[in-house]
Amino acid sequence: GERSVLLLDTLDVSAYSDAPLTDADRVAPLRPANAAYVIYTSGSTGRPKGVAVAHRSVVNQIGWVAGEYSVDASDVVLWKTPTTFDVSVWELFTVTGLGGRLVIAAPDGHRDPAYLVRVIEEQSVTLTSFVPSMLSVFVGEFGVGACSSLRAVFVAGEALSGQTVSQFRARNGAEIHNLYGPTEFTVHAVAGPAPEVLDAFVPIGAPVYNSRAYVLDARLQPVPDGAAGELYMAGVQVARGYFGRPDLSAERFVADPFDPAGGRLYRTGDLVRWATDASGAGVIEYLGRTDFQVKLRGQRIELGEIEAALLAQEQVGQAVVLVRADDLGDRLVAYVVPSAPGTDIDVDALRAAVKSLLPTYMVPESVMALDAFPLNVSGKLDRKALPEPVFAVAVFRAPTTPIEQLVAGVFAEVLGFGANEATGEESRRVGLDDDFFALGGNSLLATQVTSRLGAMLDAAVPVRVLFEAPTVERLAVAVESHTGTTRVALEARPRPERVPLSLAQQRMWFLNR
């Protein structure tokens, strides 16, 4: 069928040839086992790992999505996932290979739930995907009957709660499918529809086409149904390995003892168990990680890579990174000891240096400098004795203009700095120099800030504005410039009846893409 791609931003392709590729353009024969792409994931040694994925693996994944969900030329897919995240593979190639329509989201559009609602409705999108935390935010942006063009929503990247599914179903009739897959197994490895009767967390389903899942113990022996074990995946979607890293490949890509033909297993590092769904079919339930790799806001992170970036700085002698949880969600917190005893660490300079080495979602939200790390009786680091993180508050300068007061109020509301019931005083004042992220904000809370400001100003405020101008004073100037809102006009504008809910009022997982 005829293919069409809708570009929301203009893309000049006039400099590229549209002539078909021939063997003369290739330096070697093209085979299904050849690498289609290399995508990088976090590495525990401080060096990112490049996962080499074969053409046949991609073809199998796309064939499974198309067949399992009956995708055809009538479908409209929203491509909103950055290409650094492998979920983008199915979004980009499935519908275009079948003659359907691909809608390309604007830059940073995946962070803005109000924008996503608008695009889905305007472009009649039928298929899209979310991580669970972002789905929860998205659901809060539309009422019953909105986004009615959707027929299926794929959810992957984090544990999916039954509460999130119930909230979505109360507003939209699209099917919810829970999917799971490491980059080393080419996007999605197992999947299944969310059941009608929901538990705390939704099972991740059963293997995709031409794939096998094993739940094994430390001796690579299958564990009984219902018992916890490590998930190993086998089949055509197993990646070629880590590009240029045979040592790391040998750790994770192991011989398959259940395959007479001598295939390979991918050791996921995820703890799971086999269960039975309402129909009697076997499904897999996700329980957590088996190592120091963590899942934060939909991204797999090796904490060792962040520690290596910290230790690369001359002023740091020791470093450890943990994920800490509080009322606003999970946060990356770094603890550092100076290389020269008795000296001070420039925390701001340290965070800036790490930010130049790592993607934003891997930069610690708080860095705590200690004179020494606490040790247990055996002389090892006592992680439980590390102090709780402290998020910095700048010397207070009171907001003066209406728009500065508006921004400060939204910061306080989203971050949960509410009034003390006994005294009526604010638990923490937000001033002109306070940085949203230094106060404990993150990328998902940032979407709430811009959504609230947009509702109050009756104008679109892209989330990237907050990332570029994270203090109250700078954001007030940026919002005023971006929206064209004047201080006089703001004073005359009434507060809207409906303001998007603050994430501080919800308990959920968080995503930074």
Side-chain angles (χ1 to χ4, degrees):
E2 182 181 353
R3 304 176 186 179
S4 62
V5 176
L6 176 65
L7 297 177
L8 299 186
D9 286 335
T10 302
L11 178 64
D12 183 7
V13 296
S14 60
Y16 297 89
S17 171
D18 61 356
L21 288 173
T22 68
D23 287 342
D25 298 308
R26 300 186 176 97
V27 297
L30 182 61
R31 298 187 174 95
N34 288 152
Y37 59 81
V38 174
I39 189 168
Y40 284 83
T41 65
S42 180
S44 59
T45 63
R47 178 181 172 187
K49 301 175 293 188
V51 182
V53 175
H55 284 271
R56 64 186 174 194
S57 299
V58 178
V59 170
N60 191 79
Q61 170 70 186
I62 298 305
W64 167 75
V65 173
E68 183 71 12
Y69 302 105
S70 303
V71 183
D72 58 29
S74 67
D75 278 305
V76 181
V77 170
L78 177 59
W79 179 23
K80 63 183 181 64
T81 304
T83 52
T84 52
F85 194 23
D86 63 354
V87 172
S88 63
V89 171
W90 87 261
E91 292 180 346
L92 177 57
F93 294 113
T94 304
V95 75
T96 51
L98 296 167
R101 185 158 59 95
L102 183 70
V103 176
I104 304 177
D108 288 326
H110 65 285
R111 300 177 186 268
D112 188 340
Y115 165 79
L116 294 176
V117 171
R118 187 169 67 253
V119 170
I120 288 171
E121 292 188 328
E122 290 177 354
Q123 303 301 329
S124 299
V125 172
T126 62
L127 300 170
T128 191
S129 59
F130 285 94
V131 294
S133 52
M134 195 62 193
L135 179 63
S136 296
V137 180
F138 173 77
V139 168
E141 285 294 329
F142 67 90
V144 177
C147 298
S148 59
S149 61
L150 287 174
R151 67 176 183 86
V153 173
F154 305 151
V155 188
E158 295 169 342
L160 174 61
S161 72
Q163 181 183 23
T164 299
V165 175
S166 296
Q167 291 172 342
F168 181 87
R169 285 176 172 170
R171 294 166 172 81
N172 190 284
E175 298 177 356
I176 291 281
H177 293 267
N178 196 22
L179 299 84
Y180 157 93
T183 301
E184 292 86 346
F185 200 77
T186 316
V187 193
H188 301 120
V190 298
E196 291 302 317
V197 179
L198 296 165
D199 292 324
F201 290 98
V202 178
I204 56 177
V208 303
Y209 294 174
N210 302 311
S211 301
R212 303 182 304 281
Y214 299 99
V215 183
L216 308 178
D217 61 18
R219 296 184 299 170
L220 295 186
Q221 295 298 310
V223 301
D225 289 354
E230 186 172 353
L231 176 62
Y232 288 73
M233 295 299 306
V236 70
Q237 287 183 197
V238 174
R240 289 162 54 103
Y242 297 117
F243 181 70
R245 300 300 303 273
D247 53 336
L248 295 180
S249 297
E251 293 178 7
R252 289 292 182 179
F253 298 89
V254 300
D256 184 353
F258 311 105
D259 184 1
R264 295 176 305 146
L265 293 173
Y266 173 66
R267 180 184 179 186
T268 68
D270 287 317
L271 195 66
V272 301
R273 67 186 173 201
W274 280 108
T276 304
D277 66 11
S279 68
V283 293
I284 297 171
E285 294 181 341
Y286 178 83
L287 302 176
R289 290 292 300 173
T290 63
D291 54 22
F292 282 111
Q293 187 181 82
V294 298
K295 206 72 171 286
L296 183 70
R297 302 169 201 154
Q299 302 282 4
R300 284 195 302 157
I301 295 174
E302 292 278 6
L303 297 179
E305 183 172 357
I306 307 172
E307 293 169 358
L310 291 165
L311 291 169
Q313 310 310 311
E314 186 176 349
Q315 60 177 325
V316 178
Q318 293 177 275
V320 64
V321 179
L322 302 178
V323 174
R324 293 282 200 177
D326 62 18
D327 289 340
L328 296 179
D330 293 337
R331 306 172 185 279
L332 279 176
V333 178
Y335 299 87
V336 294
V337 173
S339 53
T343 61
D344 293 329
I345 288 180
D346 186 337
V347 171
D348 291 337
L350 181 59
R351 288 189 80 251
V354 171
K355 192 172 183 178
S356 70
L357 297 173
L358 300 174
T360 302
Y361 65 85
M362 292 179 66
V363 177
E365 296 173 42
S366 176
V367 177
M368 299 194 66
L370 307 177
D371 292 333
F373 283 155
L375 305 177
N376 58 26
V377 292
S378 64
K380 296 181 179 180
L381 172 66
D382 187 352
R383 293 172 181 265
K384 294 182 180 179
L386 290 167
E388 290 294 322
V390 175
F391 295 97
V393 179
V395 176
F396 183 75
R397 284 199 304 138
T400 55
T401 69
I403 199 162
E404 289 171 350
Q405 293 168 354
L406 175 64
V407 171
V410 171
F411 276 20
E413 191 171 12
V414 169
L415 293 171
F417 300 163
N420 185 297
E421 293 183 2
T423 65
E425 297 180 354
E426 292 293 316
S427 61
R428 184 180 293 178
R429 295 183 301 173
V430 179
L432 286 176
D433 300 308
D434 281 322
D435 184 301
F436 177 74
F437 300 102
L439 291 174
N442 56 49
S443 60
L444 270 188
L445 293 175
T447 67
Q448 295 299 296
V449 170
T450 55
S451 182
R452 282 175 172 268
L453 289 174
M456 292 175 177
L457 300 174
D458 193 23
V461 180
V463 72
R464 67 175 180 273
V465 172
L466 176 55
F467 283 93
E468 295 167 355
T471 67
V472 170
E473 185 173 42
R474 291 173 57 196
L475 182 59
V477 173
V479 167
E480 190 172 353
S481 173
H482 185 82
T483 63
T485 303
T486 66
R487 295 170 186 175
V488 174
L490 181 61
E491 289 176 322
R493 179 171 292 155
R495 181 182 177 89
E497 292 184 4
R498 177 186 178 275
V499 177
L501 285 176
S502 167
L503 280 187
Q505 298 168 328
Q506 302 180 37
R507 183 79 176 184
M508 60 182 63
W509 299 64
F510 292 109
L511 165 69
N512 182 341
R513 293 261 302 275

